[in-house]
Amino acid sequence: MTPDRLSTTLSALADPTRRAILARLARGQAGVGALAEPFAMSLPAVSKHLKVLERAGLITRGREAQWRPCRLRAGPLREVADWVERYRQFWEGSLDRLQDYLHAVQGKEKKKNGRQRKH
Amino acid sequence: MAASASTERPTVSGREIVLTRLLDAPRELVFDAFTRPEHLKEWWGPEGFTNTIQEMDVRPGGDFRLVMHGPDGRDYRNHMVFVEVLRPERIVFKHVPGPDTEPVSHETTILFVARGAKTELTMRLAFSTAGALQKMVHDYRADDGMVQTLGRLAGYVEGKTVL
C-alpha cells in the first residue's frame, strides 16, 4: 500500500473503459475475454487496463485458473467515494449558507448607504 | 439534502476533485467572505454548524485555525496555512493534519471569476498524500453496496450519473 494510493486510485478511475470494467466486476468475477467483449477491444488492450486497475489495488487477479478471473476490491473505491462525498457535502452546505449570507449582506449594505462593497 | 441548482457535481480527475458554483454577489465581496473572519464564521460549514476562529492570518504562510461546532455537539478542529492570497482572484490554503485536528493533508485552491454581477467559484482540492486519508475515512466508512458506490464515483468523474 503506497502512501499516494488515492492519487493512483483517482488516475485509474479517470478512464471510462476502466470504470466500465469495474462496473462489470461489481456484478461478479470475470476473465479477460468476457471483459473485452462489450468494448470491441483487443485482449492486449484490455489487459493493459487490467494492469492499471491491479496496480491501483482496485482488482485482484486469480492465479489458480488459466483464465485468471478478475475480482473487484472494494476498499480503495469506498475510500475515494466517501472522501468525495464528504467534501461535496461540506462545500455544498457551506456554499448554500454563503449565498444566503451574501444576499443578507448586500441587502443590508444597500439599505444603509446604497453601495455594494467597500474598497 | 436539497441539491443546489447552481452547483455542478464535483468531478474527479487525476489527483484533483473540482467543484464549481455560481454565486449571486460581486467578486470582491465573495473574496472578502473567504478572507475576513467576521464574514467567514457566519457561513463556514454545513447547516447547523457554528464556528470559532482562533487565528486567521491571511497572507502566505499565515495560520488559519478554526473550530467547527457540530450540531451533534462535537468540535472539529481545523488547522490550515495560507499558501497564496491574491485579492480578488485566488486563495490557496493547505490543510495541516495534527494530533487534535482532522487527520487530512490536502491543498485547496479557490478561484474567483467575475461573471457580470455574479461570481463563479471554482474549488480545486488536490491531495498530497493519501496516507492520512485512510485514517480519516475509516471513521466515516459507508457500508454501501459496491454498485451504488461505483455509480456515485462514475457520476463524479463524468459529471453525471451513469449507473
Side-chain angles (χ1 to χ4, degrees):
Chain A
M1 202 168 296
T2 67
D4 211 10
R5 199 177 78 178
L6 181 70
S7 296
T8 312
T9 307
L10 290 177
S11 301
L13 287 169
D15 181 88
T17 303
R18 289 198 286 272
R19 291 199 302 277
I21 289 172
L22 292 174
R24 165 65 189 81
L25 292 175
R27 299 200 303 269
Q29 63 173 12
V32 183
L35 290 172
E37 238 170 65
F39 302 114
M41 258 186 172
S42 67
L43 290 183
V46 172
S47 289
K48 260 189 201 166
H49 284 305
L50 293 178
K51 273 186 195 135
V52 174
L53 291 170
E54 196 175 11
R55 266 202 304 273
L58 290 165
I59 64 167
T60 55
R61 304 193 64 184
R63 307 277 167 205
E64 68 281 8
Q66 203 188 346
W67 58 294
R68 301 195 56 205
C70 301
R71 294 185 194 89
L72 192 63
R73 280 189 71 231
L77 275 177
R78 285 215 176 109
E79 285 163 17
V80 178
D82 287 352
W83 171 263
V84 175
E85 185 59 18
R86 271 175 53 72
Y87 177 77
R88 184 190 69 78
Q89 282 182 7
F90 178 87
W91 281 111
E92 295 252 329
S94 294
L95 295 177
D96 283 348
R97 290 175 72 192
L98 173 60
Q99 181 64 80
D100 290 347
Y101 178 70
L102 290 169
H103 276 150
V105 169
Q106 291 179 95
K108 242 187 258 166
E109 287 194 356
K110 274 175 196 160
K111 229 186 274 172
K112 262 191 211 159
N113 48 26
R115 70 195 165 131
Q116 299 253 331
R117 56 187 186 254
K118 294 169 193 164
H119 302 292
Chain B
M1 190 188 294
S4 172
S6 56
T7 305
E8 289 174 24
R9 295 187 71 86
T11 57
V12 176
S13 75
R15 54 161 49 193
E16 289 194 336
I17 295 170
V18 182
L19 190 144
T20 61
R21 174 96 157 212
L22 191 65
L23 289 163
D24 181 20
R27 178 161 75 152
E28 284 77 8
L29 180 59
V30 178
F31 187 90
D32 287 350
F34 272 87
T35 49
R36 294 191 179 184
E38 70 272 21
H39 283 317
L40 185 129
K41 72 176 172 56
E42 298 297 328
W43 62 265
W44 182 276
E47 192 65 44
F49 279 81
T50 57
N51 302 290
T52 302
I53 294 172
Q54 299 171 311
E55 189 176 4
M56 193 169 176
D57 182 11
V58 187
R59 57 181 171 173
D63 281 304
F64 177 18
R65 292 174 192 272
L66 160 150
V67 184
M68 295 168 57
H69 311 290
D72 57 356
R74 192 182 149 187
D75 281 353
Y76 301 82
R77 290 174 188 281
N78 292 275
H79 180 198
M80 290 154 276
V81 173
F82 288 101
V83 176
E84 211 182 320
V85 180
L86 185 63
R87 189 176 192 272
E89 288 170 27
R90 176 207 293 262
I91 306 168
V92 181
F93 54 85
K94 266 194 266 192
H95 296 252
V96 184
D100 62 342
T101 60
E102 296 289 313
V104 61
S105 176
H106 60 271
E107 191 171 277
T108 301
T109 299
I110 306 173
L111 301 173
F112 305 79
V113 176
R115 299 276 182 230
K118 300 185 178 188
T119 304
E120 186 182 85
L121 202 69
T122 302
M123 317 201 56
R124 289 207 317 252
L125 175 81
F127 296 95
S128 43
T129 71
L133 180 77
Q134 278 195 287
K135 196 175 160 200
M136 172 121 190
V137 298
H138 183 75
D139 297 337
Y140 302 96
R141 183 175 301 251
D143 199 24
D144 289 352
M146 205 20 56
V147 174
Q148 282 88 337
T149 303
L150 269 169
R152 274 157 58 199
L153 271 177
Y156 296 136
V157 172
E158 297 188 344
K160 61 181 197 261
T161 303
V162 296
L163 286 174

